[in-house]
Amino acid sequence: MPKFKAWVNAARLRTLPLSLSGIIVGTAIADLYGYFDWLIFILALCTTISFQVTSNFANDYGDGVKGTDNEDRIGPKRALQSGILSRASLKKGILIAIIIDFILVIALVLIAFKGEQLKYAVIFVALGALSIWASIKYTVGDSAYGYRGLGDAFVFVFFGLLGVVGSTFLYTKFIVWDAIFPAITIGLLSTAVLNLNNLRDFESDRKAGKNTVVVKMGFHNGKRYHGFLLIASLLSLCAFIVVHFQDWSSLLPLLAFIPIFIHLIKIIGIKDAALLDPELKKVALSTFLLALLFYFGFNIFL
């Protein structure tokens, strides 16, 4: 396999739309309050993509080194597992990705705060560094939090709360408290994607000692947990819609839950973990669709 294609494979492009969702929703909320800046928007998108790629490289490396990615794993073959990238190459790729992360974080902070409001700039640089740490430590190292059942909590916080509320703050320079509702929605849907991944890999993770939430609660309870995540995400979105309802366009984001609940009905009937892999893409793309409909519903059509 050519080197470029190998790196594209390791970057896992299918995960990127999910990572963009929080930024789009956060931007929509800021725009709803009258704040928008194209440069902040573009840099925020680039930064979150860079974080996601770093996380994917690190996840590939960490699971590969630990032997979690093996012949028992159901999903797509990973770069290190399949041998298309060496351990040294992947490690170098992670280092380059981290450098790009920091450059983008600094650029975003400088543009957002324009050299003023030093306190906020320092906080966001620290949050950027914490995001990079979280991207790496999910599977890398002896204390990898993904192996202790903490992956769901980190995804909820970084993809949901920080992604939405944090990106809104970049525009407004103040906390929009009701942004917490769509932040919870995006966080829960992002956690649902991770949960699907963990349901799919339940047996291989259990054998490898990767104690995800699903491994701890069991496959069937993991499916019940999945239903809770999806239903709670809908209720949280409804809370925001009730507060900000203007006309029919405010209901547009709810359309994204049609494929999400069709997916949930299918999940309830699935007993073979191998059938879960295509469902990851459905939830990730539905979350991205929700983010776009949220923006259109609360800004374009008002």
Side-chain angles (χ1 to χ4, degrees):
M1 180 182 289
K3 275 289 183 182
F4 177 76
K5 191 174 180 180
W7 284 109
V8 170
N9 179 285
R12 299 182 217 169
L13 300 185
R14 71 175 186 168
T15 65
L16 300 185
L18 182 67
S19 66
L20 299 176
S21 301
I23 304 300
I24 294 171
V25 170
T27 301
I29 295 168
D31 207 351
L32 183 61
Y33 280 82
Y35 298 88
F36 183 78
D37 185 303
W38 272 109
L39 195 50
I40 291 176
F41 180 56
I42 292 169
L43 281 171
L45 291 178
C46 291
T47 302
T48 197
I49 289 172
S50 186
F51 285 161
Q52 184 63 56
V53 170
T54 303
S55 179
N56 291 342
F57 286 171
N59 185 227
D60 198 309
Y61 179 86
D63 280 344
V65 168
K66 288 180 172 65
T68 308
D69 289 339
N70 51 46
E71 64 278 359
D72 293 327
R73 187 174 175 277
I74 295 172
K77 295 293 183 184
R78 300 282 177 79
L80 187 58
Q81 173 194 7
S82 60
I84 61 173
L85 288 174
S86 68
R87 184 184 296 194
S89 295
L90 200 49
K91 204 169 183 178
K92 187 182 295 184
I94 293 169
L95 179 60
I96 293 171
I98 290 172
I99 293 170
I100 294 172
D101 290 343
F102 270 112
I103 291 172
L104 287 170
V105 167
I106 297 300
L108 177 58
V109 167
L110 288 175
I111 293 298
F113 300 110
K114 297 178 173 60
E116 304 170 0
Q117 300 167 307
L118 182 61
K119 175 179 65 176
Y120 295 147
V122 170
I123 289 172
F124 270 82
V125 169
L127 288 173
L130 189 60
S131 298
I132 296 169
W133 175 89
S135 299
I136 303 297
K137 292 299 291 181
Y138 176 58
T139 60
V140 174
D142 295 333
S143 59
Y145 63 83
Y147 280 71
R148 295 184 289 161
L150 297 174
D152 294 49
F154 274 79
V155 164
F156 177 76
V157 170
F158 283 92
F159 278 71
L161 302 185
L162 185 58
V164 175
V165 178
S167 58
T168 301
F169 189 92
L170 287 171
Y171 299 98
T172 62
K173 312 303 185 291
F174 60 84
I175 294 177
V176 178
W177 290 107
D178 53 4
I180 192 69
F181 294 115
I184 289 171
T185 295
I186 296 298
L188 291 174
L189 290 173
S190 300
T191 305
V193 174
L194 176 63
N195 186 60
L196 277 174
N197 184 84
N198 294 338
L199 281 167
R200 181 197 66 193
D201 296 340
F202 170 69
E203 286 295 341
S204 60
D205 285 346
R206 184 174 59 82
K207 292 177 184 178
K210 186 176 183 179
N211 294 312
T212 63
V213 168
V214 175
V215 169
K216 290 183 175 184
M217 69 171 55
F219 185 80
H220 294 294
N221 284 332
K223 291 208 294 182
R224 293 189 183 99
Y225 170 56
H226 191 68
F228 163 77
L229 292 172
L230 298 182
I231 293 169
S233 68
L234 171 61
L235 294 176
S236 188
L237 178 62
C238 287
F240 184 85
I241 290 173
V242 167
V243 173
H244 287 278
F245 185 81
Q246 298 287 338
D247 55 33
W248 66 268
S249 63
S250 302
L251 302 176
L252 271 178
L254 297 178
L255 293 176
F257 279 92
I258 296 174
I260 287 173
F261 280 100
I262 291 173
H263 149 83
L264 179 57
I265 292 169
K266 186 171 183 179
I267 290 297
I268 292 171
I270 287 178
K271 296 180 180 179
D272 182 1
L275 300 176
L276 291 169
D277 190 64
E279 299 301 311
L280 276 81
K281 184 188 297 183
K282 294 177 184 178
V283 179
L285 291 178
S286 294
T287 305
F288 184 63
L289 173 63
L290 185 152
L292 294 177
L293 291 175
F294 187 94
Y295 194 95
F296 294 149
F298 285 102
N299 292 285
I300 302 299
F301 296 125
L302 289 183

